């Protein structure tokens, strides 16, 4: 039995990728739109978390539940701790008697973004500079105590789901709005279906350890915007390149969160941005 925790975009995509496996699905009871068939639980209650684990008796647990908004986490540290750290610890503690293997979706935000040329490896020093990154790193520490574990540090995940970089840029371009993007901030975007395929493979093959799960390219935010405009036939002249300092962020943001994904790429093909955007466009088109 595989227990997927979280019914957000990542959890939903992973559930689809594992549809041929024996899977249970759980999400926090306060989720605004829980998926059908999800077992509700209170992430702030260790006994309720243990109830879900004891009810499903999973051999593997995949932890995707989180508060992903960097801005929200900065203003609501307690909520960020509850979801991104303490909830993770509760699941790990509940898994110990069963010796379940725990897979945890972490983030590139565990790095400070100061590495020259970016492309952080799995062995680079971690040093988060905002609350979101801190809580994700503490989640990693909690997962290290599981009987067996796999930690995946995700690059910038995009897809047709709401609230991601590509959808933000695409929406603005569609409505003819100018979009300001940093020309000196970098990341490694990855299509959500590739995240799900990789997690499915690693779980089925019982592969543990630490992996960067990201796209093969290091792109600036502005360069990514241009790729989006071209992939969806939008006006790239609406994109306004600015420096990071000119962007006026209210939260400390890492400058370069690009990841070296060569380790995971030896196991599974991760699509580049152009191929991923083409797949996303095809998925968004009405079915005939």
């Amino acid at each position: 039995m595989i227990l997927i925790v979280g019914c957000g975009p990542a959890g939903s995509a992973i559930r689809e990728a594992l549809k041929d496996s024996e899977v249970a699905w759980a999400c926090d009871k306060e989720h605004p739109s829980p998926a059908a068939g999800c077992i509700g639980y209170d992430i702030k209650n260790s006994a309720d978390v243990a109830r879900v684990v004891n009810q499903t008796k999973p051999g593997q647990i995949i932890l995707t539940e989180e508060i992903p908004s960097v801005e929200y986490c900065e203003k609501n540290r307690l909520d960020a701790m509850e979801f991104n750290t303490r909830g993770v610890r509760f699941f790990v503690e509940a898994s110990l008697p069963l010796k379940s293997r725990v897979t945890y979706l972490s983030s590139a935000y565990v790095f400070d973004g100061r590495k020259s040329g970016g492309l952080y490896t799995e062995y680079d020093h971690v040093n988060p500079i905002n609350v979101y990154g801190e809580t994700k790193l503490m989640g990693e520490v909690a997962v290290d105590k599981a009987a067996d574990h796999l930690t995946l540090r995700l690059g910038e995940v995009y897809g047709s789901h709401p609230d991601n970089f590509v959808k933000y840029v695409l929406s603005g371009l569609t409505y003819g709005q100018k979009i300001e993007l940093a020309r000196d901030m970098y990341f490694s975007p990855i299509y959500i279906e590739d995240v799900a395929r990789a997690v499915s493979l690693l779980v089925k093959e019982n592969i543990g350890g630490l992996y960067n799960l990201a796209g093969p390219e290091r792109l600036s935010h502005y360069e990514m915007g241009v790729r989006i405009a071209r992939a969806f036939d939008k006006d790239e002249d609406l994109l306004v390149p600015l420096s990071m300092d000119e962007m006026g962020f209210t939260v400390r943001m890492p400058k370069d969160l690009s990841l070296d994904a060569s380790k995971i790429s030896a196991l599974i093909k991760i699509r580049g941005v152009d191929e991923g955007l083409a797949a996303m466009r095809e998925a968004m088109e009405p079915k005939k």
Side-chain angles (χ1 to χ4, degrees), residues 24 78 93 247:
L78 182 58
E93 290 172 350
M247 291 293 295

Side-chain angles (χ1 to χ4, degrees), residues 55-278:
Q55 176 182 331
T56 56
K57 294 181 170 51
Q60 304 219 36
I61 301 174
I62 303 172
L63 300 177
T64 75
E65 193 91 81
E66 68 164 356
I67 295 178
S69 169
V70 175
E71 291 79 8
Y72 182 90
C73 288
E74 203 70 21
K75 296 175 182 176
N76 301 273
R77 178 181 286 269
L78 182 58
D79 282 354
M81 287 288 297
E82 294 280 12
F83 276 81
N84 298 351
T85 300
R86 292 185 71 222
V88 173
R89 176 164 58 83
F90 291 159
F91 273 101
V92 170
E93 290 172 350
S95 76
L96 292 176
L98 299 173
K99 294 183 169 55
S100 308
R101 187 165 170 275
V102 178
T103 295
Y104 175 58
L105 301 193
S106 186
S107 168
Y109 276 87
V110 300
F111 297 113
D112 60 21
R114 299 186 182 117
K115 181 181 179 182
S116 178
L119 295 175
Y120 283 92
T121 72
E122 289 83 356
Y123 312 104
D124 279 318
H125 176 67
V126 292
N127 182 38
I129 62 173
N130 54 41
V131 172
Y132 175 72
E134 290 172 4
T135 57
K136 295 301 286 186
L137 179 57
M138 287 188 282
E140 289 189 12
V141 173
V143 169
D144 285 345
K145 296 178 174 61
D148 188 14
H149 63 87
L150 167 67
T151 296
L152 300 170
R153 290 176 178 156
L154 269 58
E156 186 72 21
V157 179
Y158 67 91
S160 56
H161 58 279
D163 299 325
N164 68 84
F165 183 90
V166 172
K167 283 299 289 290
Y168 163 74
V169 173
L170 183 57
S171 176
L173 294 178
T174 299
Y175 288 102
Q177 301 169 349
K178 288 189 177 296
I179 306 292
E180 296 177 346
L181 297 173
R183 61 175 178 267
D184 56 354
M185 293 178 71
Y186 298 87
F187 53 13
S188 298
I190 180 169
Y191 186 38
I192 192 167
E193 287 187 3
D194 286 343
V195 172
R197 287 192 307 108
V199 172
S200 175
L201 171 71
L202 295 169
V203 165
K204 289 178 178 178
E205 296 295 327
N206 290 308
I207 296 172
L210 172 64
Y211 286 84
N212 290 338
L213 182 49
E217 298 167 85
R218 173 182 180 261
L219 297 173
S220 74
H221 293 194
Y222 174 71
E223 289 169 333
M224 182 63 176
V226 171
R227 298 283 193 95
I228 296 165
R230 293 175 180 174
F232 287 88
D233 300 320
K234 303 301 180 183
D235 183 5
E236 63 187 82
D237 290 336
L238 291 169
L239 302 173
V240 182
L242 298 179
S243 70
M244 179 179 176
D245 292 339
E246 292 172 320
M247 291 293 295
F249 292 112
T250 58
V251 179
R252 291 185 70 196
M253 298 292 284
K255 191 165 188 175
D256 193 332
L257 287 183
S258 58
L259 299 175
D260 180 337
S262 56
K263 184 178 177 184
I264 192 72
S265 295
L267 301 176
I268 187 170
K269 180 184 184 299
I270 306 295
R271 284 171 282 195
V273 162
D274 293 336
E275 193 175 352
L277 290 172

